Structure formats: structure tokens, C-alpha cells
Amino acid sequence: MSDPKETLAERYAEVKASLPTHVTLVAVSKTRSAEEIQALYDLGHRDFGENYVQELRAKQPALPADIRWHYIGHLQRSNVKHIVPFVHLVHGVDGAPLLDELEKRAAAASRMIDVLLQIHIAQEETKHGLSQKEAEALITGWSTERWPHLQLRGLMGMATNTEDLAVVRREFDALADFFRTMKEGCLADPALFDTLSMGMSGDADMAIEAGSTMVRIGTAIFGERS
Ligand SMILES: *Cc1c(COP(=O)(O)O)cnc(C)c1O
């Protein structure tokens, strides 16, 4: 039997070595125990991604306060208040009602919250996110008066779950193109519109080639989820 910590260290080193320095690694820790997260933290990692509010709420107080928690799941308005006090970046924002709720809670907590708009790029209907048209309307009409406690940092997307790499490639390329166009025409601070969150364990290389600046990787670091 191999030592699980050693395996984690090896996997982590391998993933890190595969990433260019301008790409931020978010270790996706959904379903992982606080002990597993602590083990990766002890290896020096600080950015962790979670999908479920209840799970995140349970783990966050048990772990070091300097962890940068990324909320990468579908966020319901009723759950915003639970994560606003500590969340570092909300990846999955899908419309003005959620932005309004984030603004309200961020103001109450006296925090600036960084957000990404999730764009629907996959063929699956089950995946969440805005159409490019909807996102463009939000970005070009971005109001710092309406959302003074929110900083629009960029976009997030998930490709279709398919073996057909040409499909994945096309979706990533389209999102990267859209990201660049929005950065130019963005009414929010374009210098801060710098994050394109795309790529997971199975497709991170392709996402980076297309222009990703942030990958969300679970399995390749922690092993298969049970
Ligand atoms: C689970 C998840 C990931 C990580 O997936 P892996 O295949 O384990 O790397 C990335 N992004 C989102 C939104 C996820 O839900």
C-alpha cells in the first residue's frame, strides 16, 4: 500500500508542473474531507473550490482562515448569505437577481466580492449559465452604482462531457474569443477583467491552449471521487 499523503504530494506536483505560471490552480475539494484538504494545504496550496454550500459551511470553520475558497457550483440566492463572509471568488454567477443578492450581502458584510459570470458553452441542457447574448448585456451594462461591492473579474465555463475532443476544443475557443471581446468592451474595470475559468482534470490542457487563466481540478489531484 502506498502512503496516501505521498500519492497526494506526487499528484499535486505533477499537476502543478503541467501548468504555465500564469494559470491559477483551484483544487476542487467537493466530497473531500477536511483532513484531505488540510494535507494539500500543508503542501502549500491555498485555492480550493467547492460546489455545495452546506458542505463548504461545514468545512470552512475547521480549516485555516487563509484558504481562498472558490464557489464553483450553482449558487441559489437563499444561500448567498452563508458564503459571503468568507468566499474569495464566486465562479457561477448567472444573472442580475443573483448579483443583486450578492451585492446586498456583501454590503452588509462590508466586503468586496469577486465574481465570474458563468457562460453556457456545453451542449448539455443540464449545465447552468448565461448565453453569450445575456452575458454581453450584463457586462456592457455593468453598473458600479448598482453593484458597488462586486468586482466583475471575468468568465467561467464548462465544456460538454464528451470523448469528442473537437467539440471541447470548439467550445473553449468560443469562450476564449468571447472573453477577449468582452475585456475590450467591458464597462467594469477592464484591467481587473482578467480571469477565464475553464478546464478540469480531463480537459485542462486544451483549456489552457485556448486561453484559460484558471483551471478547476479535482480528480487529478485527489483521485477518483467515490
Ligand atoms: C467537480 C468539478 C470540477 C472538477 O472536476 P474534476 O474532473 O474532478 O477535475 C471542476 N469544475 C466544476 C464546476 C466541478 O463541479
Side-chain angles (χ1 to χ4, degrees):
M1 285 290 288
S2 60
D3 177 348
K5 279 213 174 115
E6 203 164 297
T7 313
L8 178 70
E10 284 165 9
R11 288 204 191 104
Y12 178 56
E14 210 168 293
V15 169
K16 289 268 285 182
S18 73
L19 302 177
T21 50
H22 71 275
V23 174
T24 301
L25 171 62
V26 177
V28 176
S29 50
K30 62 183 175 206
T31 79
R32 312 295 173 176
S33 66
E35 290 71 26
E36 287 174 282
I37 296 170
Q38 182 70 51
L40 191 60
Y41 177 93
D42 291 341
L43 293 168
H45 200 69
R46 294 295 178 269
D47 289 275
F48 290 87
E50 291 277 342
N51 291 58
Y52 306 104
V53 170
Q54 297 317 319
E55 193 185 333
L56 176 54
R57 283 179 79 194
K59 289 178 197 172
Q60 186 267 337
L63 285 157
D66 64 339
I67 285 183
R68 293 185 288 269
W69 290 106
H70 296 246
Y71 191 77
I72 65 172
H74 180 60
L75 182 58
Q76 275 163 350
R77 271 184 288 167
S78 58
N79 274 327
V80 166
K81 59 179 175 291
H82 298 305
I83 65 167
V84 153
F86 61 83
V87 75
H88 173 68
L89 177 63
V90 181
H91 290 229
V93 175
D94 64 356
L98 186 56
L99 288 165
D100 287 340
E101 179 66 15
L102 280 159
E103 169 58 35
K104 181 174 136 194
R105 301 294 175 176
S110 301
R111 290 198 72 203
M112 277 298 289
I113 305 276
D114 285 350
V115 300
L116 304 179
L117 297 179
Q118 182 169 356
I119 313 297
H120 189 278
I121 57 172
Q123 289 167 354
E124 296 115 323
E125 278 302 318
T126 50
K127 288 195 172 133
H128 295 281
L130 300 158
S131 67
Q132 286 196 3
K133 210 169 160 212
E134 292 165 330
E136 183 167 358
L138 268 179
I139 294 165
T140 55
W142 188 265
S143 168
T144 50
E145 271 150 50
R146 183 170 174 186
W147 301 306
H149 295 86
L150 304 183
Q151 185 64 56
L152 179 60
R153 298 302 302 264
L155 306 176
M156 177 264 205
M158 283 172 91
T160 304
N161 186 8
T162 170
E163 303 283 301
D164 187 346
L165 296 182
V167 169
V168 176
R169 155 79 62 183
R170 195 163 356 107
E171 291 170 356
F172 282 155
D173 281 345
L175 182 55
D177 274 348
F178 181 61
F179 173 71
R180 285 186 286 264
T181 308
M182 288 302 100
K183 188 172 168 68
E184 284 156 24
C186 185
L187 273 196
D189 188 343
L192 287 174
F193 193 88
D194 60 0
T195 305
L196 179 55
S197 168
M198 63 179 195
M200 324 201 311
S201 293
D203 56 24
D205 293 347
M206 208 176 267
I208 290 165
E209 272 174 39
S212 169
T213 70
M214 185 175 276
V215 291
R216 310 175 309 269
I217 294 186
T219 313
I221 297 174
F222 291 108
E224 292 294 331
R225 281 180 292 274
S226 43

